[in-house]
Amino acid sequence: MTGTHDALAMPAAVVPRRSVPGYLPLVLPPVAYLVIIFVIPLALLAVLSLLRHEAGLIVNQLTLENYAKLLGDTYYVRVIYRTLGTSLAVAFFVTFLSYPVAYFLTRTRTTWKPVLVALVLAPELSGVVLRTYGWLVILEPEGLLNTVLQRLGLLDAPLKLVHNYAAVTIGLTHVLLTFGVFTVMASLQAMDPTLELAAQNLGANRVQTFLRITLPLTLPGILGSFFLAFALAAGAYATPAILGGKTVEVMSTLIYTQLLYILNWPLASAAAVILLVIVLTTLMLLGRFGARRGAVL
Amino acid sequence: MATIPDVELRGVTKRFGSVEAVRDVSLQISRGEFFTLLGPSGCGKSTTLNMIAGFVDPTDGLVFLRGECVNYRPPFERNTAMVFQNYALFPHMTVWDNVAFGLRMRRVSAGELRRRVDEALEKVRLAGFESRFPRQLSGGQQQRVALARAIVTRPAVLLLDEPLSNLDLKLREAMRLELKALQRELGVTTLYVTHDQSEALVMSDRIAVMNHGRIEQLGTAVDIYERPATPFVASFIGTTNFLRVRAVEMWTDGRASVVTAGGLALEATVGSSAEGDRLMVAIRPEKIQLLSPALTDEGFHRGVVVHAIYLGSMVRYIVALDGGEEIAVDQVSGDNAVTWTKGNQVAVRLSPQHCLLMSDR
Amino acid sequence: MATIPDVELRGVTKRFGSVEAVRDVSLQISRGEFFTLLGPSGCGKSTTLNMIAGFVDPTDGLVFLRGECVNYRPPFERNTAMVFQNYALFPHMTVWDNVAFGLRMRRVSAGELRRRVDEALEKVRLAGFESRFPRQLSGGQQQRVALARAIVTRPAVLLLDEPLSNLDLKLREAMRLELKALQRELGVTTLYVTHDQSEALVMSDRIAVMNHGRIEQLGTAVDIYERPATPFVASFIGTTNFLRVRAVEMWTDGRASVVTAGGLALEATVGSSAEGDRLMVAIRPEKIQLLSPALTDEGFHRGVVVHAIYLGSMVRYIVALDGGEEIAVDQVSGDNAVTWTKGNQVAVRLSPQHCLLMSDR
Amino acid sequence: MPVQRMIKRALPRAAFTLVVMAIYAFMFLPIAVVLVTSVGASRYLEFPPRALSLRWYQAVLVKDWIEPARVSFNLALVSAAIATLLGSAGAFAIVRHRFLGRDAIAALLHSPLAIPSIVAGVAILQFFTVVGAKWLLGFPALLLAHAMETIPFVTRTVSVSLLGVDRTLEQAAMNLGARRWQTLRHVTLPLIKPGLFAGAAFAFVISFNNVNLSLFLVRPGVITLPIRIMNFLEFGVAPVLAAVNILSLAAVLVVVAVAERVGGFTKFLYGQ
Amino acid sequence: VRELVVNAYGGEYEEIIKATILRPFEQTRNVRIVYDPTGSASADFAKIRATRGDPGWDVVVMTAPESLIGCQLALLERLSEDRVPNQKFIYHEVRNGAGPCGAVQELQYMSLMYNTRNVTPPPTSWRILWDAKYKGRIIVPDIGNILAVYLLFMAAYMNGGDQHNLEPGWAQIAALRDNALAVIESSADMVPYFERGQAWLLPYWDGRAHYYKNRGLPVDFLIPKEGTVGLVNTLNVPVGAKNKELAYEFINFWLSKEMQEKWAQAYTVGTARVDTVLPPEHSQRHVTSIRQLKTLKIPDFLYIGQKRSEWAERWKKIMVR
Ligand SMILES: Nc1ncnc2c1ncn2[C@@H]1O[C@H](COP(=O)(O)OP(=O)(O)OP(=O)(O)O)[C@@H](O)[C@H]1O
Ligand SMILES: Nc1ncnc2c1ncn2[C@@H]1O[C@H](COP(=O)(O)OP(=O)(O)OP(=O)(O)O)[C@@H](O)[C@H]1O
Ligand SMILES: [Mg+2]
Ligand SMILES: [Mg+2]
């Protein structure tokens, strides 16, 4: 055929080019906003992490000793591990408990649905101090739970459920459920339910259908919920401080104490930088995991 | 007693709110039978399949599989395999994994799994596409994956909802052969929904023609085509000329003498539904002989060609008969693409054997 | 200079990674033309439409609409309307809102909007379904909503990707008439993808037959059907008997004397691609006359019926010729459903005019 | 027999419903405690209370509580709106486009989540001081900071929803003449409503509850409800705070209920 | 009308300070006071630091450690006697402790607060905190709270050390941890454990302890036989304050005899002004006289500021499991 030659011969062929890449108008506003309101302020503070703190004062002398301490001293390394461990546990429990609720809310036809959806907001709306106070009342050695279990003869000695990492995990899981449920719901909503029928038709029972079809297809929601819960748990202060007491230390409580009470700002900002790196690394790993399974995070 | 039917519906009805999708449908399909549901868009074919597969609970009536009532049985306990009208491929799995899914659920050994999946993909001409995802396939390729996914499990009952609608003729023919082979070799009972009538006529042991959720006629391909029970069936399958009847006289040998609204005097065969006072005569275009007027004798009627339509292997002539009625006549295109043209005088022969008298419901 | 074509592709190629979906396609479609893309599953038809609509950017080549190069032009500046192979109905809108969408985008006044939407729904026989959501419709009903949604906008170019695949024959015929009317009344240029060959042959002004992303032949329905350029086209459209050629002698009048592999001596017409040393003769089953052996003269070849297939209005006979070659012959079913049966001696006539000599690419 | 089977099929569903109800119970356990303590009569928190009274609810309905609540509500509303806009734009960019630095931008969009808000609060206050923008303190600064803090939530949830949208629907819309924003408004946005709502709701509650950012950005006279609560906490948890919490919880539930009544809120969000 | 921005106590104390100090000041002068209860002393200091001494207030209440560092960093104005004449009535020991930038408006000490129902007879020694009998009934302040530093001091004193020789004290901390119900940072978070009856013993400020006692909690507080450490609260003027003259006037007003007497009673704390006269039921429980002051150990706040970070790390390594 002569198509290509004609194309060269025809003078009228003005080929429009794509002008601005489509993503620029989308990327610029939030990025500019965050750079101004977040990145620059944080960078100004993070500079302190490179300065020496001596005798209660900041000395104008560049050093990596704050990082060396946080990443070298076994105590601080343990704090980092604890933070990771608790946050991962919370992220897991949040996602695990959110899923049934989200599934139920997506599929139910009950007229109570609006109420049930609204109620999911409740833990988050009930204010951190009072909510945590509520947990103390329930969990402490002479609290509701232990009392009930002991009355029922299920326990001899009270369970230690406060002022440890378990308490922090319970408290954070509770408050972050809201995030889990709505994030998973966003994913479930987008899934075509006939795919579940197709799987059952091919012999998959309910469990198999769930594991092989529903779960992978809602992976973005699961990963989203996991990530939000992880990041929020890693950054939460009040719940670990109150439910954990001060025999529990995680990055956020460390940062808070150093920043406000001990006044060691260099150490606090170094810890903040490390926390940032941890959370963003998690985001990246989850993204990789999702991408390998066809769900871009 | 007769053998137990493989699939049976007894008085099955399905209502969606105020919409009655399926009304009081009863049918029995024997093991290994190739059974086709035919009917206009929205008449309830898919809904019927869905009830057999267990995706939709009947509002009323019973569904039996292999003699057992399966109402409220979950889909995975029914051993049916369905090709969905919209495919319902798993978007997160490759072609290979989609097809392997049913076998994995059946815990088929790895070696056999591989062999059977490869074979199924071969059958639907998709070898080489194993690692693509559904979104990377053309419409017809997706449809073939859906087909492979269903047949690979060798189910007791195959439910096919327009499984070939997006395939070209050649592939469609090849797929039909595969389906027939499956039926023959494994004795799979097949419920087939198609809009391709010639497909239905060629493939089916029996056909149910549905309309507005009801079965209008149930019979073999020849029954349906040659002896349609109602004007709906006659007109829905193939093309049929209807001539309104003005006067009729029935004879005991199953024939009747008829005068049409246009004044044509005909002999006709009395059909099964020839009751009531509004009757008509149905005759298919290809059953009508078209000749030059020179050849006429008393069995012929005269007319004028008003339209000639080229249909590839056929030509359809619209002929205005002397009484004013217009009828369609099909002729093989033969040596010349078109034998007659508009305005030609012709003679038609409406043989009594093909003129079917039925009531105009 | 000729008038500017309404749609033009110049050397358009599309690659998805290593998959070449469309290769160097060039075509010109004039205003008001009904142009059909025909081809096997996966040959690149949908991809071609997508490039014209602007959903997919060509890897190479130029797309013109009304004389203007539209590469990188967004879809909403192209004034095309597409019926998607998978419908792509808006799940959150009712039928009415789906159909009204395009008009709303065009800021059509409320009164006209209502009138035109109602009219479009009427046309696709969906009056009364206005307030349903797509998920509450049958497959065919959904497809008709997609059709209504496209035609209601009266676009300059209509892109139809198997728009009738899930409709029954009667509806399909009705929809075809609507589409033709649209073409006639509004001069809409239509690009049509279908797997229904008779549909393509009846409807199209011109047809492009695609294979593996390339256009194999581009011409009118009669061109394509009666004078296929390649064996692929001949076999893809309709059914064709191919007889391998052992010896050939070409004459200046466009005829050739041929001896087939089975030893048959034939006269044939030399086709446009009769080059190279691997040649064959193509002849369509319905162009072959089948007669009782008593009637033979020298233009006839003898054979035995090995198979008779009932196709509704036709019967296909597979005849084994004396030289051992098997050919298919189609006959109108006529008075008797089947005239010959397996084992019958018959004579066939292969007239030179329908025997097409082409190279076996 | 089908009846038996109906029951058999209903059982797993009932069990599932039970599990869900148990999780709800878990969600409400501590809130129930707060509710009970809020109606205690004594001046300090008692559980269980020895005498009941609604005095703390009366104590809340005064200007000192209502004014901060109003500030918080406005703040949460506007900052959620800003975050929703910016966060969604970001989500569209990272889900719909492939470009150099996309991963870095995705990380940036999520990073406010990764910093304890006390650090962000101090950092922003310091930044405003350095660049001489201290006049922003009070509502404007709170707004800017809260929106920053909540962008990641919107980005995350909108991404999740967006991943589930069939792109041919958008193509269909554009093909029918819808320009990009029309496609967005009429097709994409309705389809991602669950994600948008989730993100906006998160942004709202995060802002509404925020203490540690606000602590550094409030101005005397313009304080938020959580700051007012925090100030109260200087001398322990008073029962009036329980009443404050129960009332703000109730207020949001009432808003949702009204939206449900008037606009069919859940149906609007989650379809049938 | 002149305006003065004052940052001080929140919650129920907002009313007390308004009635006792602010309104009288406003009424006697043509002044409007903008009151900001936001933030604890530590948060206030962080704000001053982040804004380079211009947090938007003219006067702010903090404790001596913050006042000292603020002074070192030149974030706070010096409050000499010519700026605040009433400074000369403040005990010198106390003024020295608070440094040149803080005007001491009240004097507190770490008392031992106990549950009167469960701890009988009343405790006499700090050692009760290590007593196995009360295992799981003790609240220990965390190192972020200066109470923890004081407790460490007391542990050192009781075991032969002092402020600058804390090793004997450090040796006791692990045992303290094992006896504790909880280790809490914020003073406000400690009391709920008393309210719920979970905790019975707590080292706590006398002012706050008295407040809860008055609120009806079954608690009382005392100074054990080993004595205790005093806390100095200060009024400060950030360098960036807009109305410094008025701020000095206000501070001077607060340090006046009349106001000091009123304030000490209203807030149930002691005073560092030499010439105040208070009713005996008040003066018995709070530090109001030179005699009482002498029994208090006034800490070297400068030294605390220098060592706090190091101590915190050591403390944490013991406390955190
Ligand atoms: N995203 C993709 N990635 C890889 N290959 C693709 C992709 N989309 C289409 N293809 C391939 O391109 C070829 C042409 O696809 P196209 O959809 O145009 O076919 P088609 O002619 O419309 O077929 P059908 O009749 O089956 O719908 C097919 O082989 C298909 O597998
Ligand atoms: N969920 C639903 N709600 C309301 N009506 C429905 C629903 N599903 C199907 N219908 C209606 O029930 C009737 C039968 O639908 P069904 O899908 O069985 O038709 P079909 O015979 O498969 O048609 P097609 O050939 O077009 O696919 C249709 O009129 C359809 O509109
Ligand atoms: Mg259907
Ligand atoms: Mg296609």
Side-chain angles (χ1 to χ4, degrees), chain A residues 97-153:
Chain A
L97 292 179
S98 295
Y99 208 101
V101 177
Y103 193 88
F104 178 85
L105 289 177
T106 314
R107 297 292 159 84
T108 186
R109 292 187 192 287
T110 160
T111 45
W112 288 92
K113 181 167 171 168
V115 182
L116 293 173
V117 168
L119 286 184
V120 174
L121 282 171
E124 187 51 37
L125 280 171
S126 56
V128 62
V129 175
L130 268 288
R131 180 179 61 228
T132 322
Y133 174 81
W135 274 122
L136 276 180
V137 167
I138 293 163
L139 296 176
E140 64 196 353
E142 291 166 18
L144 275 181
L145 187 67
N146 275 314
T147 311
V148 169
L149 289 180
Q150 280 174 312
R151 290 261 169 83
L152 292 175

Side-chain angles (χ1 to χ4, degrees), chain B residues 19 39-43 46 85 87 132 138-141 144 161-162 165-173 195-198 201-202 221-222 225-226 234-240 286-287 289 309-314 316 330-337 349 351 353-354, chain C residues 19 39-43 46 85 87 132 138-141 144 161-162 165-173 195-198 201-202 221-222 225-226 234-240 286-287 289 309-314 316 330-337 349 351 353-354:
Chain B
V19 181
S41 176
C43 72
S46 298
Q85 199 166 3
Y87 319 153
R132 294 247 196 118
S138 79
Q141 287 162 346
R144 283 178 279 156
D161 201 348
E162 313 202 18
S165 62
N166 275 275
L167 303 184
D168 59 88
L169 187 61
K170 297 290 123 154
L171 258 174
R172 209 147 67 219
E173 280 169 356
H195 284 312
D196 185 329
Q197 304 187 353
S198 62
L201 296 174
V202 179
V222 176
Y225 194 81
E226 306 278 344
S235 66
F236 185 75
I237 290 154
T239 313
T240 300
E286 77 276 7
K287 303 290 186 188
Q289 272 180 287
I309 309 160
Y310 178 70
L311 301 174
S313 63
M314 305 256 255
R316 171 161 298 169
D330 287 352
Q331 298 277 292
V332 173
S333 50
D335 271 12
N336 311 302
R349 190 174 125 79
S351 74
Q353 167 191 5
H354 297 125
Chain C
V19 180
S41 175
C43 72
S46 298
Q85 200 166 3
Y87 318 153
R132 295 247 196 118
S138 80
Q141 287 163 346
R144 282 178 279 155
D161 201 348
E162 312 203 19
S165 62
N166 274 273
L167 302 183
D168 59 88
L169 187 61
K170 296 291 123 154
L171 257 175
R172 207 147 67 219
E173 280 169 356
H195 284 311
D196 186 329
Q197 304 186 354
S198 62
L201 296 174
V202 179
V222 176
Y225 194 83
E226 305 279 344
S235 66
F236 185 74
I237 291 153
T239 313
T240 300
E286 76 277 7
K287 303 290 185 186
Q289 272 181 288
I309 308 159
Y310 178 70
L311 301 174
S313 64
M314 305 256 257
R316 172 162 297 169
D330 287 353
Q331 297 279 290
V332 172
S333 50
D335 270 12
N336 311 301
R349 189 174 127 78
S351 74
Q353 167 191 8
H354 296 124

Side-chain angles (χ1 to χ4, degrees), chain E residues 5-22:
Chain E
V5 186
V6 177
N7 179 297
Y9 321 87
E12 295 181 18
Y13 269 78
E14 187 173 336
E15 269 321 302
I16 297 176
I17 187 180
K18 277 184 176 164
T20 322
I21 311 284
L22 305 189

